[in-house]
Amino acid sequence: MADIVSPLPGIFYRKPAPDRDPFVREGDRIDIGQTIGIVEIMKQFTEVQSTATGVIETFRVDDFGAVNPGDVIVTVREDR
C-alpha cells in the first residue's frame, strides 16, 4: 500500500469544478503523476498528483475536507 499526501494546507477537492466528474474514484487505476484532486488555499489551486501506480483503495479525506501538509488523502494498492 502507498499513501498519497497533501503537499500543503487547505481544502481538498475531488472535482476540477462543481459541475464536473471527480478526477478519480475509489477502485480506479492510477499512474504516477496522474491528478487525483486539488488543494485550494487563498484562491490558489494546486494539483495533487499520484506518487504510486495501482488502484485507489480509499479516500481518507472527504471532498471539501481540510488538509494539512503530510495528511494522507488517498491510499493506493500498488502494482506488484
Side-chain angles (χ1 to χ4, degrees), residues 4 6 10-15 22 24 26 36-40 48 58-68 71-75:
I4 300 172
S6 179
I11 302 299
F12 177 71
Y13 298 99
R14 291 180 61 182
K15 300 177 180 182
V24 293
E26 290 176 354
I36 59 135
I38 51 177
V39 174
E40 181 263 327
V48 178
T58 187
F59 276 89
R60 306 267 302 273
V61 175
D62 292 330
D63 199 16
F64 301 98
V67 292
N68 289 301
D71 284 355
V72 176
I73 294 175
V74 172
T75 299

Side-chain angles (χ1 to χ4, degrees), residues 1-75:
M1 295 287 191
D3 293 329
I4 300 172
V5 299
S6 179
L8 55 134
I11 302 299
F12 177 71
Y13 298 99
R14 291 180 61 182
K15 300 177 180 182
D19 59 342
R20 305 279 307 272
D21 289 333
F23 288 103
V24 293
R25 302 175 197 275
E26 290 176 354
D28 284 356
R29 182 167 193 355
I30 59 172
D31 293 313
I32 292 174
Q34 183 174 343
T35 300
I36 59 135
I38 51 177
V39 174
E40 181 263 327
I41 182 170
M42 298 177 61
K43 304 298 179 198
Q44 296 288 336
F45 295 87
T46 301
E47 289 185 352
V48 178
Q49 296 181 339
S50 176
T51 54
T53 296
V55 175
I56 295 179
E57 281 286 310
T58 187
F59 276 89
R60 306 267 302 273
V61 175
D62 292 330
D63 199 16
F64 301 98
V67 292
N68 289 301
D71 284 355
V72 176
I73 294 175
V74 172
T75 299

